[in-house]
């Protein structure tokens, strides 16, 4: 709850009471209903594996890179997936440069747990030479603006970047067949990652001793809410992870209500991500055709003779 404590001082007592009183009437300060999500915008850079997601006033940029490394000893045939977060003071004055704070660590862990424990990314397909060379996939998440609910926005940015990333194709050569040859994109088309499903993080805020529940809390709502719960589910309704922080315990009926709401919202967010990725892939293919035309010139004179 570091983020809540850091920005709560900006709101006066009257502001906090106004937010709580409005929620009792199922009114939110931005005009939304309790279970209404903010508008999501997904954009991509020209390079593969780059995304920028805007959720209301929250903006997060995701970047995926890869390099060949030696695998872990206990998993010699699996690649490595790691997540790093950067909280810039330009996004929020409460963020301090340097060592990651509690909020940055929690955000990275929630996204990592949703991806890793659900095995959304096929890490075995990242193995090039068992025990010697595997691809290490790194996801960097940069917080550009903090308008609240960083977890959900960062999770979407990570998924969008993963779906548009392509790693170089490799082959084995040499006299003993143990030499790894990395082919440049001009020689062989890079390969996309194998992603089985999309674990979508949906966050809820609790107010007034857990009696009031809202989805996708804003920055000001986070400053006065008593607790948060993030449920990570996919479009099929599979539960990938649940994270509860702050506040008191949540009754089972409330958890089930959150899961139902999260599953419904995850399906629409999944469709939005896939639609945006499809548009990017189409534009990428067109750019490639313009750079490398497949048609060749024909000598008309030779053909006539």
């Amino acid at each position: 709850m570091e983020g809540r404590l850091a920005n709560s001082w900006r709101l006066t007592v009257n502001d906090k009471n106004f937010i709580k009183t409005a929620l009792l009437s199922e009114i939110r300060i931005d005009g939304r209903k309790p279970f209404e999500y903010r508008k999501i915008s997904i954009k991509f850079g020209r390079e593969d594996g780059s995304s920028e997601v805007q959720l209301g006033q929250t903006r997060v940029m995701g970047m995926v890179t890869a390099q060949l490394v030696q695998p872990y000893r206990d998993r010699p045939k699996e690649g490595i997936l790691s997540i790093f977060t950067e909280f810039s003071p330009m996004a929020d004055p409460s963020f301090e440069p340097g060592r990651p704070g509690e909020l940055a660590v929690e955000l990275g862990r929630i996204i990592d747990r949703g991806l890793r424990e659900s095995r959304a990314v096929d890490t075995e397909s990242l193995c090039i030479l068992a025990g010697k060379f595997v691809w290490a996939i790194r996801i960097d998440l940069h917080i550009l603006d903090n308008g609240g609910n960083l977890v959900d926005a960062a999770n979407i940015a990570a998924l969008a970047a993963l779906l548009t990333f392509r790693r170089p194709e490799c082959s084995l050569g040499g006299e003993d067949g143990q030499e790894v040859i990395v082919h440049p994109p001009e020689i062989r088309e890079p390969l996309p990652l194998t992603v089985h499903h999309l674990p979508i993080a949906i966050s809820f805020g609790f107010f007034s001793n857990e009696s009031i529940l809202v989805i996708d809390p804003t920055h000001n709502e986070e400053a006065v809410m008593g607790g948060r719960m993030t449920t990570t589910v996919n479009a099929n309704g599979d539960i990938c992870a649940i994270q509860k922080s702050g506040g008191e315990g949540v009754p089972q009926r409330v958890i089930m209500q959150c899961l139902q709401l999260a599953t419904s919202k995850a399906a629409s967010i999944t469709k939005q991500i896939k639609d945006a990725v499809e548009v990017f892939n189409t534009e990428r293919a067109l750019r490639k055709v313009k750079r490398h035309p497949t048609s060749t010139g024909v000598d008309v004179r030779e053909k006539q003779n």
Side-chain angles (χ1 to χ4, degrees):
M1 301 301 293
E2 180 189 72
R4 180 180 68 85
L5 297 175
N7 67 347
S8 62
W9 62 270
R10 303 178 191 176
L11 298 179
T12 65
V13 175
N14 289 336
D15 290 333
K16 296 178 182 178
N17 290 334
F18 177 77
I19 294 174
K20 295 178 180 179
T21 303
L23 287 173
L24 290 174
S25 302
E26 296 188 351
I27 300 175
R28 303 173 73 172
I29 56 177
D30 59 0
R32 287 183 293 153
K33 297 179 181 180
F35 301 141
E36 184 178 351
Y37 220 77
R38 287 176 292 177
K39 181 180 178 181
I40 301 173
S41 172
I42 304 175
K43 299 179 181 178
F44 300 99
R46 294 185 64 87
E47 299 297 327
D48 296 339
S50 173
S51 68
E52 181 178 328
V53 170
Q54 182 165 351
L55 176 61
Q57 299 299 318
T58 299
R59 288 196 306 132
V60 180
M61 183 177 70
M63 178 70 69
V64 176
T65 55
Q67 63 175 349
L68 285 174
V69 299
Q70 187 174 358
Y72 296 128
R73 291 185 178 180
D74 58 338
R75 296 183 177 180
K77 296 182 180 181
E78 293 187 17
I80 301 172
L81 180 67
S82 55
I83 298 176
F84 296 86
T85 58
E86 180 183 353
F87 283 56
S88 170
M90 295 183 65
D92 191 318
S94 66
F95 297 158
E96 297 182 0
R99 184 178 179 181
E102 179 183 341
L103 181 61
V105 174
E106 182 183 21
L107 184 146
R109 286 178 178 175
I110 292 175
I111 298 176
D112 179 81
R113 188 181 303 119
L115 286 169
R116 192 184 307 275
E117 294 190 3
S118 68
R119 303 190 70 85
V121 179
D122 186 359
T123 54
E124 292 185 359
S125 65
L126 300 175
C127 178
I128 304 302
L129 189 60
K132 294 186 177 182
F133 292 104
V134 297
W135 284 107
I137 305 299
R138 171 177 173 138
I139 307 174
D140 286 284
L141 298 171
H142 304 273
I143 309 302
L144 303 180
D145 283 307
N146 181 18
N149 197 9
L150 291 174
V151 172
D152 293 15
N155 184 79
I156 297 173
L159 294 176
L162 282 171
L163 289 176
T164 56
F165 176 73
R166 285 169 170 77
R167 63 171 180 83
E169 185 174 355
C170 298
S171 61
L172 298 178
E175 296 180 357
D176 56 355
Q178 300 293 302
E179 179 183 347
V180 176
I181 303 173
V182 180
H183 301 282
E186 296 81 10
I187 304 300
R188 292 191 183 181
E189 178 69 14
L191 303 176
L193 300 178
T194 302
V195 180
H196 297 302
H197 63 94
L198 301 183
I200 306 295
I202 305 294
S203 296
F204 298 87
F206 298 96
F207 301 83
S208 301
N209 297 325
E210 319 294 332
S211 62
I212 299 177
L213 172 68
V214 301
I215 195 172
D216 181 26
T218 64
H219 193 245
N220 288 337
E221 289 174 339
E222 288 179 337
V224 298
M225 68 184 186
R228 169 200 294 273
M229 184 171 72
T230 300
T231 61
T232 304
V233 298
N234 59 24
N236 300 323
D238 300 323
I239 302 174
C240 304
I242 297 180
Q243 170 85 5
K244 173 69 168 63
S245 58
E248 301 176 359
V250 180
Q252 181 179 357
R253 61 174 182 82
V254 177
I255 295 178
M256 296 304 297
Q257 180 186 13
C258 291
L259 290 174
Q260 291 177 355
L261 293 169
T263 301
S264 175
K265 193 60 191 176
S268 62
I269 294 178
T270 297
K271 183 179 184 304
Q272 187 172 354
I273 294 175
K274 290 183 176 181
D275 289 345
V277 171
E278 184 178 355
V279 172
F280 170 82
N281 289 335
T282 301
E283 295 176 350
R284 180 182 183 274
L286 292 175
R287 291 196 301 267
K288 182 181 177 182
V289 170
K290 291 180 180 180
R291 289 198 306 264
H292 307 287
T294 57
S295 59
T296 58
V298 178
D299 192 333
V300 179
R301 292 174 298 177
E302 181 180 350
K303 185 174 180 181
Q304 291 176 345
N305 293 337

